Structure formats: structure tokens, C-alpha cells
Amino acid sequence: MNSENGAETVGCCRRQLLRGAAAVGIAGAGVAVLSACGGSSSASTQKGPVTLGPTSDVPVGGGKVYRAQQVVVTQPSAGTYKAFSAVCTHAGCVVDGVSNGVISCPCHGSQFKATDGSVEQGPAQQALPSIPVTVQNGKLVATLS
């Protein structure tokens, strides 16, 4: 093999490798964007009772999002806890917080009532699914299905 052909072969292979890497990078970025707005592939697959944390983590009139379990817990009045799926019914994004009696989704602005998960403001059309939650020894326990 002469040096010209060797250099041409190396250049060719290097270009193919770089093109392949670029394609993988673009595909990976697309997956990251889709997972940010369309739910997460690392979604919790836990079933049954799951301890979320102490009741003190959930303020009266507010709530807390448990991202790993994809659950949002609210406390509409002292000692009353409500739990809902934290996955927005519009596009599958995870809600990001609770304030002023409203659970908010950051992706498209959907809002849900903290008392019952019903739609306060669209584009979501369906309520957040309710999740059974109890208090055991000062901790919140959600029953995931």
C-alpha cells in the first residue's frame, strides 16, 4: 500500500467515524429532549407501598414533588394529605411544584388543583390520577400501582 492510498483510506475512515459519532450525538440529543417532555425512561417501576418521607416535608397549603417515585403530595389543610401522579396528563412531563393551591407543570403551563388533581388551567384535559397515601409513624406512604 502506498502512502497516498494509506492516507486516503485513513481520511475516509476518519470521516465515516466522525459522521457516525455526529449521528449518534444528534440521536442522543433527540432522546434527551423527548424524555424531558415525554416522560422519563427512568420512571419509577416500584409497586405497592413506598415510603416517601416525613410529613413535615409537605407544607400546609403547599406540596412536595417526589421525582424518583413520580408522586406529588399536597396538604390542602392541616393533617390532610393528597397524592397524585406527578406526570402531567398533557405531554408526560413531571410537575415541578405546588404553590397557592396549584400543582404546576413547567412544560406547557398546565395547572392542577392541589385538593383533587383536577385541571385548573390547560392545555391538559385530564386530572392527575390520584394515588392512595397514608401517614405511618410520621411518614408519608404512597401505594403505587
Side-chain angles (χ1 to χ4, degrees):
M1 151 167 92
N2 68 34
S3 62
E4 261 183 43
N5 288 343
E8 185 177 314
T9 302
V10 169
C12 170
C13 292
R14 187 180 309 136
R15 283 191 297 274
Q16 288 177 338
L17 178 65
L18 291 173
R19 284 185 190 137
V24 168
I26 290 169
V31 169
V33 168
L34 289 175
S35 67
C37 198
S40 171
S41 62
S42 63
S44 175
T45 57
Q46 295 176 328
K47 305 279 186 213
V50 175
T51 301
L52 300 173
T55 57
S56 59
D57 284 351
V58 182
V60 175
K64 177 175 172 76
V65 178
Y66 296 90
R67 292 187 72 79
Q69 296 83 8
Q70 295 189 338
V71 174
V72 58
V73 177
T74 65
Q75 188 178 183
S77 59
T80 301
Y81 298 93
K82 304 283 185 166
F84 309 97
S85 169
V87 179
C88 180
T89 56
H90 172 246
C93 298
V94 176
V95 299
D96 67 347
V98 182
S99 64
N100 300 320
V102 175
I103 301 166
S104 299
C105 179
C107 293
H108 302 106
S110 291
Q111 296 182 338
F112 304 88
K113 293 180 184 175
T115 54
D116 62 7
S118 64
V119 176
E120 173 86 10
Q121 172 182 309
Q125 301 277 318
Q126 297 177 344
L128 294 174
S130 181
I131 294 175
V133 66
T134 59
V135 176
Q136 296 176 10
N137 299 319
K139 296 189 184 228
L140 296 163
V141 178
T143 303
L144 305 179
S145 55

PDB file of all heavy atoms in Angstrom, residues 54-71:
ATOM      1  N   PRO A  54     -40.907  12.272  55.534  1.00  0.00           N
ATOM      2  CA  PRO A  54     -41.669  12.769  56.680  1.00  0.00           C
ATOM      3  C   PRO A  54     -42.780  13.731  56.261  1.00  0.00           C
ATOM      4  O   PRO A  54     -42.652  14.457  55.274  1.00  0.00           O
ATOM      5  CB  PRO A  54     -40.619  13.480  57.529  1.00  0.00           C
ATOM      6  CG  PRO A  54     -39.496  13.782  56.611  1.00  0.00           C
ATOM      7  CD  PRO A  54     -39.531  12.759  55.517  1.00  0.00           C
ATOM      8  N   THR A  55     -43.847  13.721  57.045  1.00  0.00           N
ATOM      9  CA  THR A  55     -44.970  14.625  56.760  1.00  0.00           C
ATOM     10  C   THR A  55     -44.523  16.093  56.829  1.00  0.00           C
ATOM     11  O   THR A  55     -45.090  16.939  56.138  1.00  0.00           O
ATOM     12  CB  THR A  55     -46.132  14.400  57.749  1.00  0.00           C
ATOM     13  OG1 THR A  55     -45.641  14.575  59.087  1.00  0.00           O
ATOM     14  CG2 THR A  55     -46.734  13.021  57.583  1.00  0.00           C
ATOM     15  N   SER A  56     -43.502  16.365  57.613  1.00  0.00           N
ATOM     16  CA  SER A  56     -43.014  17.745  57.749  1.00  0.00           C
ATOM     17  C   SER A  56     -42.447  18.301  56.445  1.00  0.00           C
ATOM     18  O   SER A  56     -42.270  19.515  56.319  1.00  0.00           O
ATOM     19  CB  SER A  56     -41.954  17.825  58.858  1.00  0.00           C
ATOM     20  OG  SER A  56     -40.866  16.965  58.568  1.00  0.00           O
ATOM     21  N   ASP A  57     -42.173  17.441  55.465  1.00  0.00           N
ATOM     22  CA  ASP A  57     -41.675  17.907  54.162  1.00  0.00           C
ATOM     23  C   ASP A  57     -42.762  18.573  53.323  1.00  0.00           C
ATOM     24  O   ASP A  57     -42.455  19.243  52.341  1.00  0.00           O
ATOM     25  CB  ASP A  57     -41.110  16.735  53.341  1.00  0.00           C
ATOM     26  CG  ASP A  57     -39.744  16.272  53.827  1.00  0.00           C
ATOM     27  OD1 ASP A  57     -39.148  16.955  54.693  1.00  0.00           O
ATOM     28  OD2 ASP A  57     -39.286  15.222  53.342  1.00  0.00           O
ATOM     29  N   VAL A  58     -44.027  18.358  53.699  1.00  0.00           N
ATOM     30  CA  VAL A  58     -45.145  18.872  52.900  1.00  0.00           C
ATOM     31  C   VAL A  58     -45.828  19.996  53.679  1.00  0.00           C
ATOM     32  O   VAL A  58     -46.525  19.745  54.669  1.00  0.00           O
ATOM     33  CB  VAL A  58     -46.156  17.747  52.570  1.00  0.00           C
ATOM     34  CG1 VAL A  58     -47.284  18.283  51.704  1.00  0.00           C
ATOM     35  CG2 VAL A  58     -45.458  16.584  51.883  1.00  0.00           C
ATOM     36  N   PRO A  59     -45.663  21.243  53.244  1.00  0.00           N
ATOM     37  CA  PRO A  59     -46.254  22.364  53.979  1.00  0.00           C
ATOM     38  C   PRO A  59     -47.777  22.429  53.812  1.00  0.00           C
ATOM     39  O   PRO A  59     -48.324  22.034  52.781  1.00  0.00           O
ATOM     40  CB  PRO A  59     -45.591  23.586  53.339  1.00  0.00           C
ATOM     41  CG  PRO A  59     -45.214  23.144  51.965  1.00  0.00           C
ATOM     42  CD  PRO A  59     -44.912  21.674  52.070  1.00  0.00           C
ATOM     43  N   VAL A  60     -48.446  22.934  54.832  1.00  0.00           N
ATOM     44  CA  VAL A  60     -49.886  23.159  54.754  1.00  0.00           C
ATOM     45  C   VAL A  60     -50.144  24.182  53.644  1.00  0.00           C
ATOM     46  O   VAL A  60     -49.472  25.210  53.572  1.00  0.00           O
ATOM     47  CB  VAL A  60     -50.451  23.673  56.102  1.00  0.00           C
ATOM     48  CG1 VAL A  60     -51.934  24.011  55.964  1.00  0.00           C
ATOM     49  CG2 VAL A  60     -50.235  22.644  57.192  1.00  0.00           C
ATOM     50  N   GLY A  61     -51.069  23.873  52.750  1.00  0.00           N
ATOM     51  CA  GLY A  61     -51.380  24.764  51.627  1.00  0.00           C
ATOM     52  C   GLY A  61     -50.421  24.605  50.457  1.00  0.00           C
ATOM     53  O   GLY A  61     -50.548  25.275  49.441  1.00  0.00           O
ATOM     54  N   GLY A  62     -49.464  23.714  50.590  1.00  0.00           N
ATOM     55  CA  GLY A  62     -48.476  23.500  49.532  1.00  0.00           C
ATOM     56  C   GLY A  62     -48.320  22.031  49.232  1.00  0.00           C
ATOM     57  O   GLY A  62     -49.249  21.238  49.409  1.00  0.00           O
ATOM     58  N   GLY A  63     -47.139  21.670  48.781  1.00  0.00           N
ATOM     59  CA  GLY A  63     -46.900  20.278  48.447  1.00  0.00           C
ATOM     60  C   GLY A  63     -45.438  20.014  48.168  1.00  0.00           C
ATOM     61  O   GLY A  63     -44.598  20.916  48.249  1.00  0.00           O
ATOM     62  N   LYS A  64     -45.161  18.777  47.842  1.00  0.00           N
ATOM     63  CA  LYS A  64     -43.797  18.369  47.511  1.00  0.00           C
ATOM     64  C   LYS A  64     -43.861  17.346  46.390  1.00  0.00           C
ATOM     65  O   LYS A  64     -44.702  16.446  46.396  1.00  0.00           O
ATOM     66  CB  LYS A  64     -43.106  17.759  48.726  1.00  0.00           C
ATOM     67  CG  LYS A  64     -41.697  17.257  48.422  1.00  0.00           C
ATOM     68  CD  LYS A  64     -40.990  16.781  49.665  1.00  0.00           C
ATOM     69  CE  LYS A  64     -39.681  16.098  49.360  1.00  0.00           C
ATOM     70  NZ  LYS A  64     -38.603  16.950  49.005  1.00  0.00           N
ATOM     71  N   VAL A  65     -42.938  17.489  45.436  1.00  0.00           N
ATOM     72  CA  VAL A  65     -42.819  16.542  44.332  1.00  0.00           C
ATOM     73  C   VAL A  65     -41.720  15.544  44.684  1.00  0.00           C
ATOM     74  O   VAL A  65     -40.593  15.930  44.983  1.00  0.00           O
ATOM     75  CB  VAL A  65     -42.482  17.261  43.001  1.00  0.00           C
ATOM     76  CG1 VAL A  65     -42.317  16.249  41.873  1.00  0.00           C
ATOM     77  CG2 VAL A  65     -43.552  18.287  42.657  1.00  0.00           C
ATOM     78  N   TYR A  66     -42.069  14.266  44.650  1.00  0.00           N
ATOM     79  CA  TYR A  66     -41.110  13.180  44.855  1.00  0.00           C
ATOM     80  C   TYR A  66     -40.788  12.632  43.470  1.00  0.00           C
ATOM     81  O   TYR A  66     -41.488  11.763  42.953  1.00  0.00           O
ATOM     82  CB  TYR A  66     -41.707  12.100  45.773  1.00  0.00           C
ATOM     83  CG  TYR A  66     -41.989  12.630  47.166  1.00  0.00           C
ATOM     84  CD1 TYR A  66     -43.221  13.207  47.473  1.00  0.00           C
ATOM     85  CD2 TYR A  66     -41.020  12.580  48.157  1.00  0.00           C
ATOM     86  CE1 TYR A  66     -43.478  13.712  48.745  1.00  0.00           C
ATOM     87  CE2 TYR A  66     -41.269  13.081  49.426  1.00  0.00           C
ATOM     88  CZ  TYR A  66     -42.500  13.648  49.708  1.00  0.00           C
ATOM     89  OH  TYR A  66     -42.749  14.157  50.970  1.00  0.00           O
ATOM     90  N   ARG A  67     -39.772  13.202  42.856  1.00  0.00           N
ATOM     91  CA  ARG A  67     -39.443  12.907  41.451  1.00  0.00           C
ATOM     92  C   ARG A  67     -39.110  11.433  41.215  1.00  0.00           C
ATOM     93  O   ARG A  67     -39.544  10.853  40.229  1.00  0.00           O
ATOM     94  CB  ARG A  67     -38.300  13.791  40.975  1.00  0.00           C
ATOM     95  CG  ARG A  67     -38.696  15.264  40.874  1.00  0.00           C
ATOM     96  CD  ARG A  67     -37.624  16.113  40.242  1.00  0.00           C
ATOM     97  NE  ARG A  67     -37.500  15.882  38.818  1.00  0.00           N
ATOM     98  CZ  ARG A  67     -38.306  16.385  37.886  1.00  0.00           C
ATOM     99  NH1 ARG A  67     -39.319  17.131  38.244  1.00  0.00           N
ATOM    100  NH2 ARG A  67     -38.107  16.139  36.616  1.00  0.00           N
ATOM    101  N   ALA A  68     -38.341  10.835  42.093  1.00  0.00           N
ATOM    102  CA  ALA A  68     -37.931   9.447  41.883  1.00  0.00           C
ATOM    103  C   ALA A  68     -39.134   8.514  41.819  1.00  0.00           C
ATOM    104  O   ALA A  68     -39.139   7.550  41.061  1.00  0.00           O
ATOM    105  CB  ALA A  68     -36.975   9.001  42.986  1.00  0.00           C
ATOM    106  N   GLN A  69     -40.165   8.815  42.598  1.00  0.00           N
ATOM    107  CA  GLN A  69     -41.360   7.976  42.614  1.00  0.00           C
ATOM    108  C   GLN A  69     -42.456   8.515  41.690  1.00  0.00           C
ATOM    109  O   GLN A  69     -43.495   7.900  41.540  1.00  0.00           O
ATOM    110  CB  GLN A  69     -41.920   7.874  44.040  1.00  0.00           C
ATOM    111  CG  GLN A  69     -40.994   7.187  45.015  1.00  0.00           C
ATOM    112  CD  GLN A  69     -39.920   8.121  45.586  1.00  0.00           C
ATOM    113  OE1 GLN A  69     -39.930   9.331  45.384  1.00  0.00           O
ATOM    114  NE2 GLN A  69     -38.972   7.547  46.301  1.00  0.00           N
ATOM    115  N   GLN A  70     -42.225   9.692  41.124  1.00  0.00           N
ATOM    116  CA  GLN A  70     -43.179  10.389  40.262  1.00  0.00           C
ATOM    117  C   GLN A  70     -44.526  10.580  40.956  1.00  0.00           C
ATOM    118  O   GLN A  70     -45.595  10.290  40.414  1.00  0.00           O
ATOM    119  CB  GLN A  70     -43.320   9.695  38.917  1.00  0.00           C
ATOM    120  CG  GLN A  70     -42.031   9.754  38.126  1.00  0.00           C
ATOM    121  CD  GLN A  70     -42.177   9.284  36.702  1.00  0.00           C
ATOM    122  OE1 GLN A  70     -43.083   8.546  36.352  1.00  0.00           O
ATOM    123  NE2 GLN A  70     -41.269   9.733  35.847  1.00  0.00           N
ATOM    124  N   VAL A  71     -44.433  11.099  42.187  1.00  0.00           N
ATOM    125  CA  VAL A  71     -45.609  11.366  43.011  1.00  0.00           C
ATOM    126  C   VAL A  71     -45.518  12.801  43.514  1.00  0.00           C
ATOM    127  O   VAL A  71     -44.434  13.270  43.864  1.00  0.00           O
ATOM    128  CB  VAL A  71     -45.663  10.395  44.218  1.00  0.00           C
ATOM    129  CG1 VAL A  71     -46.802  10.745  45.165  1.00  0.00           C
ATOM    130  CG2 VAL A  71     -45.777   8.955  43.750  1.00  0.00           C
TER     131      VAL A  71
END
